[in-house]
Amino acid sequence: MSTVPLPDGPVSPEVAEIERALTRVAYLGTRQRQHDRLTALADVPLDRAAVALLRQVADSEPLRPGELAARLGVEASHVTRTVQQLQRTGHVSRVPDPEDRRAQRIELTDSGRRAVTRLREAGARGMQLALADWSPEDLRHLATLFHRMVDDFLGHAAEEEPQGRSAAKTGT
């Protein structure tokens, strides 16, 4: 895998502070205690891997297991185990891939959709409580900037991706 070299020179203090803040947010979101609280409030007793997979499928369903693994940044065997767990709990099902009947895609069941809705609602309510003192204007501005940042990150990641993988994803 080739990587694009990082630019020379110092990082601006503003970018350094953004990286620091994002690291703190990521840490808070991945703590086991936070996960346990969220799943308890949502009444969705699943481990972190299962919740991450459910959310990914909800955002882009249906996907092949290999596509899920790539998007989640995990090994395919990890996705296989998690999908089996979610099938047993009735949250996902396997369906034939319309482009290749030998392959399967993973899609949410009605139970899986309800679980994702409850997880997102519980997360949003917790966030609303934490940001209760922010003005609607500040919240809109933050949301706009976050979306812009994520779009730029995704655009940069696409530029770094090897040509073969990028073409495979777009079907070209």
Side-chain angles (χ1 to χ4, degrees):
M1 172 196 282
S2 66
T3 58
V4 175
L6 294 175
D8 289 332
V11 172
S12 76
E14 297 83 5
V15 170
E17 280 305 305
I18 292 167
E19 190 279 335
R20 184 173 166 262
L22 286 177
T23 299
R24 292 176 66 206
V25 168
Y27 169 75
L28 290 173
T30 59
R31 291 186 330 188
Q32 185 65 44
R33 186 171 59 180
Q34 176 66 17
H35 170 80
D36 293 345
R37 183 175 177 273
L38 175 69
T39 56
L41 288 170
D43 193 27
V44 179
L46 296 172
D47 63 29
R48 287 189 286 187
V51 169
L53 193 140
L54 272 183
R55 287 177 181 255
Q56 182 61 60
V57 173
D59 288 342
S60 54
E61 71 169 309
L63 292 172
R64 289 182 180 188
E67 292 170 318
L68 273 171
R71 288 183 185 207
L72 293 169
V74 299
E75 297 294 323
S77 60
H78 179 74
V79 166
T80 299
R81 285 189 301 273
T82 305
V83 166
Q84 289 169 347
Q85 171 194 354
L86 290 169
Q87 281 183 283
R88 284 191 301 275
T89 59
H91 291 97
V92 300
S93 63
R94 293 178 182 266
V95 296
D97 185 332
E99 296 172 14
D100 179 355
R101 304 300 277 176
R102 297 168 297 172
Q104 294 183 326
R105 292 183 180 257
I106 309 304
E107 72 177 7
L108 294 180
T109 61
D110 289 340
S111 175
R113 276 188 277 286
R114 287 190 300 272
V116 169
T117 297
R118 289 194 311 269
L119 287 163
R120 288 184 171 155
E121 186 173 290
R125 287 181 187 278
M127 189 175 292
Q128 185 169 338
L129 184 62
L131 301 176
D133 293 335
W134 287 47
S135 73
E137 180 182 334
D138 283 347
L139 293 172
R140 277 190 297 277
H141 190 63
L142 179 63
T144 298
L145 290 173
F146 261 129
H147 282 291
R148 180 176 163 194
M149 181 179 65
V150 169
D151 290 344
D152 287 347
F153 284 173
L154 290 171
H156 179 74
E159 290 172 8
E160 288 185 345
E161 200 165 277
Q163 193 63 27
R165 286 185 63 194
S166 180
K169 280 186 181 178
T170 60
T172 59

